[in-house]
Amino acid sequence: MVLERQRSTLNSISISKIFYLMFWLLKPFYIGASGSLQIGDMFILLSFVLVIFDRKVMAKFEKIDRNLYVFFAFVFFINSIYFLIYRNTDFIKAIFYYLFNFLGVFIGRIYFSDDGFLKLFDKVLKFNLLVQLAIYFIGAGRWFGNSRA
């Protein structure tokens, strides 16, 4: 019975959900410089594009998320003004960092209402931790545990 439920969850999962899971699987792994777009980041962008075209999902702009939308609007407005005043592209980068995180929260709020998806998400996160531990113990990769200050 459990196996059948898992199989039906996998069969009914959308490509957008798979991309969102791939984002969380690959997010901790950096190939380029920190702060630049990584492989995992591409998956969340693809997931968002597919969510935009899914008519059933667009109805999920819920009132509970209003504060998130207002916060992002302020981030956009304030950083845009500072960019116009100081002509420093760091303010534009900040807008994109916040936009990127907004996408992750927005998509997560849509998918986390599905218990089957949450179980898959749990498995992806556990697998991610196992991969990170394996990489750490075999000595591959690098660890940046120090402060970024």
Side-chain angles (χ1 to χ4, degrees), residues 114-134:
D114 176 9
D115 287 339
F117 181 79
L118 279 176
K119 289 176 184 173
L120 284 173
F121 186 70
D122 179 60
K123 289 177 184 176
V124 165
L125 293 182
K126 287 176 181 173
F127 181 71
N128 181 313
L129 288 174
L130 289 174
V131 170
Q132 288 183 60
L133 279 172

Side-chain angles (χ1 to χ4, degrees), residues 39-102:
I39 293 173
D41 301 336
M42 298 297 179
F43 282 100
I44 199 166
L45 294 173
L46 291 170
S47 179
F48 183 71
V49 167
L50 293 173
V51 164
I52 289 295
F53 292 110
D54 187 352
R55 297 225 182 261
K56 292 176 267 180
V57 173
M58 291 311 291
K60 299 231 178 177
F61 281 104
E62 296 179 12
K63 192 174 184 177
I64 193 169
D65 297 325
R66 186 188 63 192
N67 290 340
L68 178 63
Y69 306 142
V70 170
F71 173 77
F72 182 72
F74 276 112
V75 165
F76 182 82
F77 180 71
I78 291 168
N79 280 297
S80 296
I81 288 173
Y82 274 102
F83 170 72
L84 293 173
I85 293 170
Y86 296 109
R87 300 287 183 207
N88 184 339
T89 57
D90 288 342
F91 295 111
I92 299 298
K93 285 181 191 175
I95 291 172
F96 283 107
Y97 290 138
Y98 277 100
L99 174 64
F100 189 77
N101 289 310
F102 171 81

